Amino acid sequence: QTVVTQEPSFSVSPGGTVTLTCGLNSASVSTGYSPSWYQQTPGQAPRTLIYNTNTRASGVPGRFSGSILGNKAALTITGAQADDESDYYCALNVRRGVWVFGGGTKLSVL
Amino acid sequence: EVQLVESGGGLVQPGGSLRLSCAASGFTFSSYWMSWVRQAPGKGLEWVASIKEEGGDKYYVDSVKGRFTISRDNANNSLSLQMNSLRAEDTAVYYCASLRSAYWGQGTLVTVSS
């Protein structure tokens, strides 16, 4: 069974930098998995931040960036702001047509 | 402006059926794989199904195989999810999305309960 792993929670100070990661239980994450990152606040639909590893969605601030770090996909927030406090999900295209989401990371800004 | 608008959610009894629809606008719908993603109350996101651009290839999460059918009508820019033999564990907000790009709808709530 394919499992996508994310840190359950993370905290960052206002103005600080944080890197969230997205791994696979069975392999190293590469660009071939088309890693995507989504932000969700309570009661709202997910919002795409990053797709295809490092493409920023329209309207997403430049402080959000995506990359591959070692054997995982990564979302880096540089200069965190209070309204970045949200749940963050990654998704991987594990094989043709099939996607798996990670369990999400609850980010606190404090 | 890109828009994905879901409809068709509601309350249904266990074993019942429901058909969700998603109306797309503002982008070339026929050029994109499309997916349904769901989120049970208080839980994370779960991919449910995907369909290729022309509709020929379809993929499902194991828990819905044989019960759900994804389809699309490129002439009318619409995506559908036919859900049969519904179970309590199918209760969730269902989102229409293009996971290879940035497009998500606002979701429609499906509640399976007697």
Side-chain angles (χ1 to χ4, degrees), chain A residues 8-102:
Chain A
S9 63
F10 228 116
S11 64
V12 61
S13 300
T17 296
V18 63
T19 296
L20 311 182
T21 67
C22 177
L24 262 180
N25 65 332
S26 53
S28 295
V29 177
S30 66
T31 57
Y33 287 95
S34 299
S36 303
W37 292 92
Y38 309 95
Q39 179 190 51
Q40 189 179 36
T41 52
Q44 299 297 313
R47 167 200 183 198
T48 302
L49 297 174
I50 301 288
Y51 60 98
N52 286 342
T53 307
N54 54 15
T55 302
R56 203 174 296 119
S58 176
V60 173
R63 65 179 184 274
F64 294 93
S65 62
S67 65
I68 300 292
L69 284 182
N71 62 348
K72 295 183 179 182
L75 173 72
T76 299
I77 307 173
T78 304
Q81 299 182 2
D83 60 5
D84 295 336
E85 188 160 290
S86 300
D87 293 328
Y88 291 85
Y89 294 93
C90 71
L92 300 177
N93 187 195
V94 296
R95 57 187 176 278
R96 180 178 170 85
V98 177
W99 293 79
V100 179
F101 282 85

Side-chain angles (χ1 to χ4, degrees), chain A residues 34 36 38 40 44-46 48 51-52 57 89 93 96-99 101-102, chain B residues 33 37 39 43-45 47 50 52 57 59 95 99-102 104-106:
Chain A
S34 299
S36 303
Y38 309 95
Q40 189 179 36
Q44 299 297 313
T48 302
Y51 60 98
N52 286 342
Y89 294 93
N93 187 195
R96 180 178 170 85
V98 177
W99 293 79
F101 282 85
Chain B
W33 282 76
V37 176
Q39 187 170 36
K43 302 296 186 183
L45 300 171
W47 169 79
S50 291
K52 199 174 184 296
D57 290 353
Y59 301 86
Y95 297 100
L99 294 179
R100 281 197 171 274
S101 60
W104 283 74
Q106 288 302 302

Side-chain angles (χ1 to χ4, degrees), chain B residues 9-74:
Chain B
L11 174 64
V12 61
Q13 292 189 340
S17 298
L18 214 53
R19 186 178 183 87
L20 306 184
S21 296
C22 172
S25 60
F27 66 106
T28 307
F29 178 75
S30 59
S31 297
Y32 289 82
W33 282 76
M34 294 298 298
S35 296
W36 288 97
V37 176
R38 66 184 178 184
Q39 187 170 36
K43 302 296 186 183
L45 300 171
E46 180 184 37
W47 169 79
V48 174
S50 291
I51 185 168
K52 199 174 184 296
E53 295 95 333
E54 82 288 345
D57 290 353
K58 304 174 185 182
Y59 301 86
Y60 302 90
V61 68
D62 285 348
S63 59
V64 309
K65 282 180 183 174
R67 300 188 299 124
F68 290 12
T69 302
I70 188 172
S71 61
R72 66 191 297 161
D73 180 351
N74 287 342

